[in-house]
Amino acid sequence: MSETIAAIATASGNGSISILRVSGPEAVCVVDGIFMNDDLSKADSYTIHYGWIGESDDERVDEVLVLLMRAPRSYTAEDVVEIHCHGGGQAAKKILELLIEKGVRLAEPGEFTKRAFLNGRIDLTQAESVMEVIRAKNDLALSTAEEHLRGNIRDEIRALREVVLSDMAYLEAALDDPEHIELDEFPATLGTHLCDISEKIEKLIAGYENGRRIADGIKTVIIGRPNVGKSSFLNCILREDRAIVTNIPGTTRDTLEEDAMVGGIRLRLIDTAGIRQTSDVVETIGVKKAKDAIGDSDFIICVLDSSEELTDEDREVLNMCNLKPSVILLNKSDLSPMITIKDIEKFYSENGIKIADSIHDRSIHMLEFSAETRAGLSELESLLEQLFLSDFYSGNNDRKDPVITSLRQKELLIDAKGSIDRLRETMEAGMPEDLLTVDLLSLYESLGSVTGDAMEDDLVDKIFSDFCMGK
């Protein structure tokens, strides 16, 4: 990290300003050489300076503000200079070219955050949360990412590592000096510690699916037989005419995917072809895609036409709702009903299928709905919030335990759980205590890999290569 790096930190395209970020041992010196007003070498940290960038009065590039942040109190823990110039891209590009001419290297994607990690200012969970903040699509995803950025995952993991390290130190000391340090009570103490660590790891692993759904959105498939109002429901929830709506069965022949915010929840909606037996080759492919989408979904919204009698095709679709958490919308509630919620309850009772007995129950729920009048939309929003937000909040709206959203972190925690299982097997088999040190070290390193305290360089490079330029 002896090189000084630079990149444009703002998105491309027209905008009021562009920001260039420069970091490294020569950051102040290089920018000072092309800044035509104040002497930056003598300026204090956290000061802003007005002037022009250019090599001479005849070669001015742009009027700028320069923000100076000296090491170690900067984003990268190195000397950092930010140049705020006019937007539009061309001015920033010319300044970047000038910096590169002066010996600065173009930064790689994520290199500023990587330097912050390597310099010890943040751990790996905080570094990953930077992109979580940038990519957040709803308030809950943003608040979860910000909690990660503040270090809630790091603090949890490092507390567990401290316990493991203490046990390792005691065991090593006892093996080196058995005359003064006894191990008689150690297995019981270790067992208690492992039980507590295992419980906390299991909570983190179990919370991953919810964390992923909040970060990425809940993959929600809309199913039903033809002409029950699936496309009308999609247009209703999107509040725009996104899907074609006709009274001709089989209009939708492929999946149509859209994102919608419903009651603070991001739904990744997938409108599907009407499920029925058909001789039409193209429609048959659409029906197969609809059934495949169910298997890949997190949640099902099943649409029935409540103004018509229940058909065999409706019954087939209702049976599919047993595969995933679902809500059945009895659509067209503004018309005279031919199907009621009690009819659906009776159908499931006769087929031995469980329906939800509370609003928090992730099985099958039912609501009266009208895509025409939007009646029932607020009830649907409330249901989704209860189903998917209750895992994140306690009764007084305080956040519950830390929630991971990274698959990498989940896999490492599974490795750590495996080390605990092996430790217990070794203890139950009555093996010599010195064999415990191997699995204790494995547990310690697996936990350290989550935070980056024990991480191979090539994996670190891979993680930061997914970051955006200038971050």
Side-chain angles (χ1 to χ4, degrees):
M1 294 188 293
S2 59
E3 296 176 294
T4 298
I5 59 174
I8 300 172
T10 44
S12 60
N14 291 329
S16 57
I17 63 169
S18 291
I19 299 174
L20 294 95
R21 178 177 284 166
V22 188
S23 179
E26 300 298 320
V28 177
C29 180
V30 170
V31 176
D32 192 34
I34 60 173
F35 187 57
M36 301 176 61
N37 294 67
D38 295 349
D39 184 355
L40 297 179
S41 64
K42 298 179 180 178
D44 294 332
S45 184
Y46 293 105
T47 53
I48 299 176
H49 306 265
Y50 162 79
W52 285 80
I53 291 288
E55 293 194 89
S56 67
D57 286 338
D58 296 330
E59 297 179 340
R60 296 188 179 194
V61 175
D62 194 18
E63 187 179 24
V64 301
L65 291 175
V66 173
L67 173 60
L68 180 64
M69 294 166 282
R70 294 190 182 275
R73 298 184 64 189
S74 71
Y75 183 71
T76 61
E78 302 173 331
D79 283 348
V80 171
V81 180
E82 285 188 356
I83 302 171
H84 297 221
C85 65
H86 286 94
Q90 194 60 29
K93 181 181 176 183
K94 293 291 290 183
I95 294 172
L96 182 61
E97 290 173 352
L98 189 56
L99 289 167
I100 292 172
E101 287 177 10
K102 300 301 180 182
V104 174
R105 174 172 63 78
L106 181 65
E108 297 173 356
E111 190 168 1
F112 292 97
T113 307
K114 180 180 176 181
R115 289 191 175 200
F117 164 67
L118 294 175
N119 288 328
R121 198 185 74 79
I122 57 175
D123 82 304
L124 202 53
T125 65
Q126 291 172 294
E128 289 173 315
S129 72
V130 170
M131 288 308 297
E132 292 176 13
V133 169
I134 293 171
R135 292 170 179 163
K137 295 294 193 298
N138 57 64
D139 290 344
L140 185 54
L142 178 60
S143 65
T144 301
E146 288 174 342
E147 287 178 0
H148 294 170
L149 190 58
R150 288 194 294 269
N152 69 337
I153 298 294
R154 174 204 62 198
D155 295 344
E156 182 86 355
I157 296 300
R158 287 185 175 172
L160 299 182
R161 290 190 91 212
E162 281 298 316
V163 175
V164 177
L165 183 62
S166 177
D167 287 335
M168 288 173 59
Y170 184 89
L171 180 58
E172 292 285 357
L175 292 173
D176 289 342
D177 190 8
E179 292 184 4
H180 297 92
I181 304 175
E182 297 182 354
L183 285 172
D184 294 345
E185 304 297 327
F186 180 73
T189 301
L190 179 59
T192 301
H193 290 169
L194 292 178
C195 187
D196 181 56
I197 294 171
S198 180
E199 181 181 337
K200 290 178 179 177
I201 288 175
E202 286 171 357
K203 279 186 178 180
L204 288 170
I205 295 171
Y208 167 74
E209 283 303 319
N210 282 328
R212 178 190 63 79
R213 292 185 188 115
I214 293 303
D216 298 339
I218 299 165
K219 200 166 188 178
T220 304
V221 61
I222 306 168
I223 63 171
R225 65 173 171 84
N227 262 34
V228 293
K230 299 187 302 301
S231 296
S232 295
F233 165 74
L234 180 65
N235 291 340
C236 170
I237 206 166
L238 292 175
R239 292 172 172 81
E240 64 174 300
D241 292 336
R242 181 64 182 86
I244 298 173
V245 178
T246 74
N247 59 1
I248 303 171
T251 303
T252 303
R253 296 188 169 209
D254 201 352
T255 56
L256 176 64
E257 301 188 17
E258 289 289 337
D259 282 8
M261 290 299 299
V262 181
I265 304 291
R266 180 186 173 213
L267 299 184
R268 295 166 59 196
L269 293 166
I270 306 167
D271 187 20
T272 63
I275 296 174
R276 66 170 177 172
Q277 295 295 324
T278 176
S279 59
D280 186 297
V281 175
V282 177
E283 191 178 351
T284 299
I285 294 172
V287 172
K288 182 181 183 302
K289 282 190 173 184
K291 293 178 178 179
D292 291 342
I294 293 171
D296 194 35
S297 67
D298 300 315
F299 190 66
I300 295 173
I301 294 178
C302 171
V303 182
L304 297 179
D305 184 345
S306 65
S307 69
E308 297 181 1
E309 294 282 357
L310 207 62
T311 68
D312 288 340
E313 290 164 345
D314 288 325
R315 293 183 181 92
E316 180 185 1
V317 173
L318 286 172
N319 280 320
M320 293 177 181
C321 294
N322 193 37
L323 301 173
K324 295 286 175 71
S326 308
V327 60
I328 298 165
L329 299 181
L330 278 71
N331 192 30
K332 305 184 184 180
S333 62
D334 52 309
L335 303 178
S336 298
M338 297 295 291
I339 306 171
T340 66
I341 288 177
K342 287 186 176 180
D343 295 327
I344 309 303
E345 290 175 344
K346 181 181 177 183
F347 169 80
Y348 280 129
S349 177
E350 290 174 348
N351 288 274
I353 297 174
K354 180 184 179 298
I355 62 174
D357 54 16
S358 75
I359 197 166
H360 299 287
D361 186 351
R362 288 192 186 173
S363 54
I364 300 173
H365 294 260
M366 286 163 275
L367 290 174
E368 292 182 350
F369 194 85
S370 172
E372 181 70 22
T373 66
R374 295 183 179 174
L377 185 57
S378 61
E379 288 81 359
L380 177 61
E381 292 177 347
S382 176
L383 173 63
L384 290 168
E385 287 183 338
Q386 293 291 335
L387 287 176
F388 294 104
L389 297 188
S390 59
D391 287 332
F392 290 84
Y393 295 96
S394 59
N396 57 0
N397 283 332
D398 290 332
R399 287 301 290 268
K400 291 186 177 180
D401 298 324
V403 176
I404 62 171
T405 56
S406 162
L407 179 60
R408 181 195 71 84
Q409 294 171 19
K410 177 191 174 184
E411 290 175 342
L412 289 168
L413 289 169
I414 290 173
D415 290 343
K417 183 67 170 55
S419 296
I420 292 175
D421 293 340
R422 289 191 296 273
L423 271 164
R424 286 171 169 165
E425 290 172 2
T426 301
M427 293 169 66
E428 289 171 2
M431 303 295 285
E433 284 83 357
D434 57 348
L435 295 180
L436 297 176
T437 59
V438 176
D439 288 323
L440 278 171
L441 181 59
S442 175
L443 172 58
Y444 186 73
E445 290 180 344
S446 292
L447 291 172
S449 295
V450 175
T451 56
D453 292 318
M455 182 68 63
E456 297 178 2
D457 290 343
D458 57 346
L459 185 54
V460 171
D461 292 340
K462 171 64 176 65
I463 290 170
F464 287 102
S465 68
D466 294 332
F467 277 54
C468 55
M469 185 67 75
K471 196 63 182 177

